[in-house]
């Protein structure tokens, strides 16, 4: 079983010898390995059981470092990097030859991010390579937001998990690419709000559903899914639709007297979308382990992090 600890030297030791480890970030925990070492990247695909057409994000600690891995940085990318890194934003930039094919699945762009997590930034400075890290969950399952989530599912496959506490954002990063005119295009909604992004670079396009050869398989129709059926709608309507089923509820603010209170999880009593985002994935995991048949949830306000919450719920829903 993976050792769980806060020892950066030890984490770096495993990474330097080509192993993969659990790594905290502000969004979700990552499964990290040396991004410049093909074998370490292969190990990540194996541990996650992830198809190799799904490329992996490279994490580093400074914009200068990012420059070592890419051909160029469009002006609007530089503006976004300046404004939001370290933070829950990933940029797709034209890669240079240092980046191995396997990291990008052969694509000409590499996904890069500077995470906002003190321990992890320190770890990134302790190694002389960027860290490849997808979310540390088996492919298609809910992303982990605590070290225990990582340990539960991948603990028997990795030597070490760096304990960084519960993730402060709780949703994966917002992924932004650039079109032929160097204008930003959002490929995945996430922890960085669209409204904030638009304050820096103006109106951005969204290109979220590329279902044949997907640019971002996080954009596959079903992803981030619990093993129980999840239904989204008006919760009282859903409750009356399944009178003979044991129901669990994940709601934004309210509880419902028709269902036992111990099968209900309220994400933010005070109606704060940031707080809701932070506990969403943990709630889905918990519900998945409860003695219930179906999970019911609602649509969240389509603003701020509510957009990314709705996006994840839609993909996690039974269809
Ligand atoms: O917040 C996050 O982004 C977390 C933490 C660990 O940084 N990572 C994460 O990685 O969510 P992952 O692999 O679970 O999701 C990253 C998405 C994938 O859907 C992948 O297809 C897309 O980013 N991606 C990675 N490299 C890409 C590239 N070169 N071009 C297009 N999409 C890419
Ligand atoms: Mg993932």
């Amino acid at each position: 079983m993976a050792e769980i600890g806060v020892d950066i030297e030890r984490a770096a030791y495993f990474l330097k010898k080509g192993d993969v480890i659990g790594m905290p970030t502000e969004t979700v925990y990552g499964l990290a390995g040396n991004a410049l070492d093909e074998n370490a990247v292969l190990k990540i695909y194996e541990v996650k059981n992830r198809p190799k057409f799904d490329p992996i994000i490279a994490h580093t600690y400074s914009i200068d470092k990012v420059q070592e891995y890419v051909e160029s940085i469009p002006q609007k990318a530089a503006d976004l990097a300046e404004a939001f890194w370290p933070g829950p934003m990933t940029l797709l930039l034209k890669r240079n030859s240092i980046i191995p094919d396997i990291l990008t699945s052969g694509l000409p762009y590499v996904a890069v991010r500077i995470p906002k997590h003190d321990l992890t930034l320190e770890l990134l400075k302790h190694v002389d390579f960027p860290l490849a890290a997808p979310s540390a969950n088996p492919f298609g399952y809910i992303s982990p937001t605590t070290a225990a989530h990582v340990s539960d599912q991948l603990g028997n496959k990795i030597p070490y998990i760096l304990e960084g506490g519960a993730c402060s954002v709780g949703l994966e990063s917002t992924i932004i690419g650039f079109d032929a005119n160097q204008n930003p295009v959002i490929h995945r909604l996430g922890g960085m709000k669209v409204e904030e992004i638009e304050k820096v670079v103006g109106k951005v396009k969204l290109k979220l559903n590329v279902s044949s050869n997907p640019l971002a398989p996080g954009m596959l129709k079903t992803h981030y899914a619990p093993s129980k059926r999840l239904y989204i709608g008006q919760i009282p309507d859903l409750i009356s639709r399944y009178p003979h089923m044991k129901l669990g509820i994940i709601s934004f603010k309210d509880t419902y007297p028709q269902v036992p209170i111990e099968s209900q999880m309220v994400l933010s009593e005070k109606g704060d979308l940031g707080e809701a985002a932070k506990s969403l994935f943990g709630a889905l995991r918990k519900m998945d382990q409860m003695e219930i048949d179906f999970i019911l949830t609602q649509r969240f306000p389509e603003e701020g992090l509510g957009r990314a919450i709705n996006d994840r719920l839609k993909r996690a829903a039974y269809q």
Side-chain angles (χ1 to χ4, degrees):
M1 272 313 271
E3 188 186 325
I4 302 180
V6 295
D7 186 345
I8 286 175
E9 301 285 348
R10 189 136 175 85
Y13 158 81
F14 286 115
L15 291 168
K16 284 175 190 164
K17 76 183 181 80
D19 278 337
V20 305
I21 65 163
M23 169 180 94
T25 81
E26 80 283 31
T27 59
V28 301
Y29 272 71
L31 184 64
N34 179 350
L36 307 184
D37 173 356
E38 278 185 27
N39 289 319
V41 177
L42 267 172
K43 233 183 241 179
I44 294 175
Y45 282 103
E46 262 168 42
V47 169
K48 248 191 94 97
N49 198 12
R50 176 181 177 121
K52 301 217 179 44
F53 64 74
D54 190 356
I56 298 177
I57 300 172
H59 299 71
T60 187
Y61 61 87
S62 73
I63 298 177
D64 283 351
K65 276 283 159 191
V66 170
Q67 253 147 1
E68 292 179 19
Y69 312 127
V70 304
E71 286 286 324
S72 58
I73 302 185
Q75 186 55 48
K76 286 187 176 170
D79 294 345
L80 288 168
E82 192 60 47
F84 300 127
W85 274 345
M89 175 184 75
T90 294
L91 299 179
L92 302 177
L93 301 172
K94 213 167 240 157
R95 69 178 170 124
N96 66 21
S97 56
I98 296 176
I99 297 295
D101 282 339
I102 181 147
L103 189 73
T104 70
S105 309
L107 294 170
Y109 295 87
V110 62
V112 287
R113 178 162 112 77
I114 302 180
K116 189 174 183 157
H117 192 291
D118 290 345
L119 205 57
T120 293
L121 286 170
E122 219 180 299
L123 173 65
L124 285 162
K125 289 173 193 162
H126 258 73
V127 293
D128 59 0
F129 42 80
L131 290 176
S135 53
N137 50 281
F139 183 69
Y141 196 68
I142 307 158
S143 294
T145 51
T146 66
H149 292 163
V150 181
S151 174
D152 286 348
Q153 289 188 303
L154 302 178
N156 59 350
K157 296 183 174 170
I158 56 179
Y160 197 75
I161 301 169
L162 191 60
E163 169 63 84
C167 300
S168 59
V169 175
L171 294 172
E172 302 87 346
S173 60
T174 302
I175 300 182
I176 306 175
F178 297 86
D179 66 14
N181 302 318
Q182 315 268 42
N183 284 317
V185 179
I186 294 181
H187 291 265
R188 177 175 76 179
L189 292 167
M192 179 60 63
K193 299 172 193 162
V194 177
E195 293 90 331
E196 295 294 315
I197 292 165
E198 292 189 331
K199 275 186 207 160
V200 175
V201 289
K203 196 87 193 130
V204 290
K205 283 180 285 185
L206 258 66
K207 190 175 162 203
L208 303 180
N209 266 308
V210 203
S211 51
S212 55
N213 186 20
L215 250 182
M219 297 290 103
L220 288 170
K221 266 181 78 192
T222 306
H223 209 76
Y224 315 106
S227 43
K228 294 206 168 91
R229 291 186 185 186
L230 173 79
Y231 291 102
I232 310 170
Q234 302 284 349
I235 291 176
D237 293 351
L238 292 172
I239 293 173
S240 51
R241 197 181 303 167
Y242 303 109
H244 304 298
M245 293 294 176
K246 272 198 189 156
L247 302 173
I249 296 175
I250 297 179
S251 83
F252 186 19
K253 294 185 273 195
D254 303 315
T255 54
Y256 299 85
Q258 309 91 307
V259 169
I261 194 72
E262 60 277 9
S263 315
Q264 302 190 47
M265 297 188 71
V266 173
L267 297 187
S268 174
E269 259 174 52
K270 58 175 191 270
D272 179 308
L273 286 166
E275 186 176 56
K278 188 175 167 175
S279 40
L280 175 69
F281 287 159
L284 283 167
R285 276 178 186 256
K286 211 171 236 169
M287 285 278 157
D288 219 13
Q289 285 153 11
M290 280 185 188
E291 295 264 316
I292 53 170
D293 299 312
F294 298 159
I295 310 168
L296 309 183
T297 191
Q298 63 181 98
R299 285 189 60 76
F300 284 67
E302 194 59 24
E303 63 187 33
L305 293 183
R307 298 179 74 167
I309 293 176
N310 286 331
D311 173 88
R312 298 303 187 273
L313 287 174
K314 212 161 60 194
R315 291 172 209 283
Y318 177 72
Q319 31 198 312

